[in-house]
Amino acid sequence: MKRWTQRPEGSTWGDFGPDDELGRLNLLTEAKVLQAVREVRTGKVFCLSLPLDLPGGNVLNPRRHAPTLKPTFREGTPYLNFAMSQLQPEAVDVLSDDQVTLSMQYSTQWDGLSHVGAMFDIQGDGQARRVYYNGYAAGVDVFGGTDPDTSAEACCPPGGSYARKLSVSRYAEKGMQGRGVLVDLARAFGPGRTLVGHTQLQAAMQEQNVVLEAGDMLVLRTGFAESLVAMNGQPDPHALEQTGAVLDGADPALLEWITASGIAAICADNYAVESYPARTSGPGHSILPLHHHCLFKLGLPLAELWYLKDLADWLHAQGRNRFLLTAPPLRMPGAVGSPVTPIATV
């Protein structure tokens, strides 16, 4: 049986093939990479990641906790500043080896296409099922929680999780390199909270002479991450609620523009990219309409909590807004999201 017989209105399901797991990342072609490389004129490099122990605490999301870093152990002994002379008296080596426990989407991150799905009737039989982009389904392609993998070749132990399809590792395999195009919403609207719909975004782009083409990765500076850095690991949730421009995922014109633009991804320096809670309600609504539109319908990756100030200031001083962007996630099979250390080369 076909995985789906009907797709959400306005989606790209099937457009890149019946078993596609990349969505709009298919637009990151070799030609697009070469176009991005031509934006490199100085060789200057910018790191676009926050320190991965920020924001600090878990006020942004109570499920996500700061990373815990500790040594590995050798026969019960911490393997950090470990003198090998303990094992071989004449050896001069001192060795250190560590491990980390972290939430995959705690800090600077990519959302995988298995991060947000929806209840949708993929077979036209009146039964809404829990599905993700291109009709991949909970308990069939994405396992965890109340949907353990009980097959003979089980991919994860009880209590574990695993996305056989739409894992964020697919991004890493793709490479995630192309042309980044910056829109500086902080420069356009200031540091306060501004709800940005289609009208506001187009005005900012026109003011900053931003031209987007199919396959570009849209990069949005709002100033949110800069405020997090200034809070030094002690985020003030009330202050952050009033910080930075944020996309209005409930604006139909904005969603239509994202579809028509042909952009391959949206990368932002704030939490969630879109305003939350959204201005949506009623039967069949999404609490995250931009995520719903991008991840679920278009297969368009979203990135959050990037650090963009230094890049934005440099580009503004040079009268530029385009650059080579290299941003592969961890190649962690089965993961639904991943930390990332994006690099901009200008």
Side-chain angles (χ1 to χ4, degrees), residues 135-151:
Y136 291 109
V140 178
D141 305 296
V142 181
F143 300 97
T146 59
D147 300 284
D149 185 359
T150 57
S151 65

Side-chain angles (χ1 to χ4, degrees), residues 12 16 20-27 113 133 298-300:
T12 63
F16 302 106
D20 175 57
E21 298 181 54
L22 290 175
R24 292 269 279 260
L25 290 183
N26 285 284
L27 301 180
L113 299 187
Y133 173 74
L298 299 182
L300 189 154

Side-chain angles (χ1 to χ4, degrees), residues 233-301:
Q234 301 292 326
D236 180 341
H238 303 295
L240 290 173
E241 286 173 358
Q242 304 303 317
T243 299
V246 62
L247 294 185
D248 180 7
D251 178 12
L254 176 63
L255 302 184
E256 290 170 8
W257 175 82
I258 291 171
T259 297
S261 69
I263 56 175
I266 300 176
C267 317
D269 67 352
N270 61 3
Y271 176 69
V273 184
E274 64 179 307
S275 178
Y276 180 80
R279 300 183 300 106
T280 51
S281 61
H285 79 280
S286 170
I287 64 169
L288 292 166
L290 186 78
H291 282 66
H292 179 84
H293 186 74
C294 292
L295 296 177
F296 176 64
K297 294 175 68 174
L298 299 182
L300 189 154

Side-chain angles (χ1 to χ4, degrees), residues 91-114:
V92 299
D93 311 272
V94 176
L95 301 179
S96 294
D97 190 29
D98 54 7
Q99 57 189 318
V100 65
T101 302
L102 81 163
S103 298
M104 296 292 274
Q105 292 167 273
Y106 179 76
S107 186
T108 303
Q109 64 179 267
W110 277 113
D111 290 346
L113 299 187
S114 53

Side-chain angles (χ1 to χ4, degrees), residues 130-208:
R130 293 169 298 153
V131 294
Y132 299 89
Y133 173 74
N134 217 6
Y136 291 109
V140 178
D141 305 296
V142 181
F143 300 97
T146 59
D147 300 284
D149 185 359
T150 57
S151 65
E153 55 281 336
C155 54
C156 55
S161 62
Y162 199 91
R164 283 192 191 273
K165 301 295 184 180
L166 304 181
S167 167
V168 76
S169 63
R170 297 287 182 252
Y171 297 2
E173 294 159 14
K174 174 64 177 172
M176 298 303 279
Q177 188 173 60
R179 188 169 69 178
V181 181
L182 182 84
V183 179
D184 195 336
L185 299 178
R187 191 173 300 278
F189 300 111
R193 190 72 159 184
T194 303
L195 198 60
V196 175
H198 178 258
T199 299
Q200 292 79 12
L201 179 62
Q202 295 306 305
M205 289 174 59
Q206 183 174 4
E207 178 186 353
Q208 296 172 16

